[in-house]
Amino acid sequence: MDEVWLGILLVVVLFALLGSGVWVAFSLFGVGLVAMELFTGAPVGRVLATSVWGASNSWALAALPLFIWMGEILFRSRLSADLFGGLAPWMGRIPGRLMHVNILGCSIFAAVSGSSAATAATIGRMSLPELTKRGYDETMSIGTLAGSGTLGLLIPPSIILIVYGVAIEESIARLFVAGILPGLVLVLLFMGYVVLWSLMHPERTPPREPPMPLKQKIWQSRRLIPVVLLILGVIGSIYIGIASPTDAAAVGVFLALVLSWLSGTLTRQSFVDGLMGATRTSCMIAFILAGASFLTSAMGFTGIPRMLAEWIATPGLSTYGLLAALTLFFVVLGCFLDGISLVVLTTAVILPVVEAAGIDRIWFGIYLVIVVEMSQITPPVGFNLFVLQGLTGRNILQVAVAALPFFFILVLGVVLLVAFPELALWLPEKMAQMQS
Amino acid sequence: MRTFLDRLYSLSGAIAAAFICAITLIVLAQVLANLIDSVASMVLGAPFGLVVPSYANFAGYFLTGATFFALPYALKRGAHIRVTLVIQALGPKTRQVVEVWCILVGLAIAGFFTWYTFGLVAASYRYGDMSTGMVAIPIWIPQGALVLGGAVLTIALLDELVVALRGGTPAHERANVGILADVSEAERDTDAGRGGRG
């Protein structure tokens, strides 16, 4: 049978399985099984067993449950209150005032957590009531949270980058470091937008609170010290090369436990809740990765990715054209699929195409994460929207409208990344030089 | 029977959680060994050469244990993500039929998976395959997690199938608050937090 028809059939099978509500991991296994059973003579069961075993016992992937656990512990600690209390006194002079606490709080929490939903939830549950109480514009408060919550994916540690790195066998440390600058650029873009918006709508920002003497401001900021130390310890040790991401994650879990014990939030109950939450989430993600690795092997047998790559490599489509097409494709798909499924499907099918087009794997990972960030705030399926829906009681469409400007800022972020690839590539190069 | 099955799922969840703790501990031990060594080379001029034998391999094996033992537990708690967009729009009758279809697909794949991973383990056992590294252990031991986890997952899906065919709501649906596990967690927690603050 022609490979084109085979490809189309498999896409139909995939969407039928996913659309009918079959669990994502099982859908991936299912498509792989259909592809191999119908179109190859290879021993399906043996390929399945060995690819799953190969994908599941990995030192690099061991960072996944640990970073998730660390986020779970901090989510249950007093960290969100500390971040709010430490940041708020400094925001009085910037137009938009406390709305910047959402953005900075999210970016700081993003540096200790790898999940965007957890980031939005942790910062939001503290800042939303505070902002509403002070009379800040609700749409803007929700939008800033939904938008900057997505930074959880880009600013290291990042669950998505672990998944991507393990799936394509690329250094997770380098991917993490590559995410730092683009993350900071997005923070600046988000803050810039809030400044502009506030200058245009001065009547919608509540008056400034009585300024605090400098001494008191600095005293208030002591509450940021533990989290800053945590970030420096975890990300810093990866950057200077004394720790692999897995080492850093284990230390992160330990420090998070100490931090939560010191602040008196570590109880038997919160420990068990955090651990079991991490167990479930990491199992879910690792099982999807197992399915994806089988699908990748199955795809290799069918030859479809190779065909796609050859087709793309024929002249006519520029790299920019390819990226524009991919972005559009991901944004549409991201409306219905979650980020992790998006990433594993990409690595199973599209990565050979990307490499054939001469695009750097590390750069593409960062690009993919920003696109996935968009999918977090597009309805009907966007996890940050669900979180804010839960926090505010607004319906998902209202939340989505509030998040829309931030969606466009992310688009701008992708454009900047394409225009200046060094944003993602400069730091990893520096790191390689420093470590050699 | 109900109690027995629920205990089985909780037990497999607890084993998985223990594996995650084990990963943390073994990696921390290695980090500590590195720290002591770097202090030693600064003070004494030479490191002790401390190392946790095969720690990277063992962290990987523990991860396999954590992932596959957690499968049935995560299923029952609705942690495995799925696209609910279409099925949410269905009427209760159709929804029940689609739910049975989903469980059947899962059951077929879980059964297939368990059977062939058993084949893998049996082959490793027969040929006496050992792991590589300083501490070599028979490789069928960590691989066994795939089979055991797969088997309990198959049982859990059978259990869900029986519930769904009897017209009840399977556990994975009752637990399914959000789609991503940490979202449903976050929502549940904030709801609880609100209730607590009154």
Side-chain angles (χ1 to χ4, degrees), chain A residues 81-394:
Chain A
D82 283 342
L83 278 175
F84 191 89
L87 289 172
W90 299 95
M91 300 299 148
R93 278 165 190 264
I94 313 173
R97 301 202 180 92
L98 291 188
M99 277 187 287
H100 294 285
V101 174
N102 274 348
I103 300 172
L104 287 174
C106 280
S107 42
I108 293 177
F109 193 76
V112 288
S113 152
S115 141
S116 95
T119 304
T122 309
I123 300 303
R125 68 183 178 146
M126 184 68 205
S127 76
L128 267 181
E130 294 286 338
L131 289 180
T132 317
K133 198 169 73 192
R134 290 174 168 79
Y136 279 86
D137 185 78
E138 194 187 17
T139 309
M140 218 34 200
S141 312
I142 296 178
T144 46
L145 259 172
S148 41
T150 64
L151 291 169
L153 299 180
L154 187 57
I155 297 180
S158 158
I159 303 299
I160 291 269
L161 282 176
I162 296 179
V163 168
Y164 178 78
V166 168
I168 68 162
E169 294 175 10
E170 181 57 72
S171 152
I172 290 169
R174 288 189 64 193
L175 283 166
F176 274 9
V177 169
I180 295 177
L181 278 184
L184 293 179
V185 168
L186 282 177
V187 172
L188 288 179
L189 288 176
F190 287 153
M191 292 183 73
Y193 173 74
V194 169
V195 168
L196 271 180
W197 182 89
S198 317
L199 292 176
M200 283 159 66
H201 307 90
E203 75 287 352
R204 284 162 79 178
T205 317
R208 199 177 161 191
E209 284 164 44
M212 219 182 242
L214 186 66
K215 241 186 185 165
Q216 202 185 339
K217 274 190 197 171
I218 294 173
W219 178 237
Q220 276 296 318
S221 305
R222 79 190 183 285
R223 299 173 71 179
L224 297 175
I225 294 171
V227 67
V228 169
L229 287 179
L230 193 57
I231 295 172
L232 288 180
V234 173
I235 303 305
S237 61
I238 297 177
Y239 182 74
I240 58 175
I242 54 171
S244 71
T246 310
D247 296 326
V251 175
V253 166
F254 175 72
L255 293 178
L257 282 171
V258 170
L259 213 140
S260 116
W261 177 65
L262 288 177
S263 70
T265 47
L266 185 67
T267 60
R268 203 190 128 82
Q269 187 64 39
S270 76
F271 179 83
V272 171
D273 285 351
L275 178 59
M276 294 319 284
T279 306
R280 289 194 294 275
T281 308
S282 100
C283 162
M284 179 270 285
I285 295 174
F287 195 44
I288 290 180
L289 254 174
S293 86
F294 170 61
L295 181 62
T296 308
S297 315
M299 282 294 151
F301 278 102
T302 64
I304 291 175
R306 203 169 47 238
M307 181 197 69
L308 272 178
E310 279 164 13
W311 178 64
I312 292 290
T314 54
L317 195 57
S318 70
T319 310
Y320 295 127
L322 173 67
L323 284 174
L326 279 180
T327 309
L328 194 66
F329 174 69
F330 286 136
V331 167
V332 172
L333 212 58
C335 289
F336 306 98
L337 271 180
D338 67 286
I340 287 158
S341 315
L342 213 59
V343 169
V344 297
L345 279 174
T346 307
T347 55
V349 186
I350 301 179
L351 202 75
V353 175
V354 171
E355 298 203 303
I359 298 172
D360 186 273
R361 290 148 66 102
I362 301 251
W363 182 90
F364 188 73
I366 303 304
Y367 155 83
L368 196 58
V369 170
I370 303 184
V371 178
V372 164
E373 285 190 26
M374 296 179 196
S375 81
Q376 299 278 334
I377 52 174
T378 44
V381 178
F383 293 107
N384 284 23
L385 302 181
F386 293 151
V387 171
L388 284 161
Q389 188 185 15
L391 282 175
T392 59
R394 301 275 154 190

Side-chain angles (χ1 to χ4, degrees), chain B residues 10 27 38 43 92 124 133 151 156 158 192:
Chain B
S10 305
V27 178
S38 46
V43 179
S124 302
L158 263 177

Side-chain angles (χ1 to χ4, degrees), chain A residues 20-21 24 115 280 338 391, chain B residues 73 81-82 101 182 185 194:
Chain A
S20 66
V24 170
S115 141
R280 289 194 294 275
D338 67 286
L391 282 175
Chain B
Y73 165 72
I81 51 170
R82 54 200 298 219
W101 149 258
D182 70 337
E185 276 304 293
R194 268 191 209 145

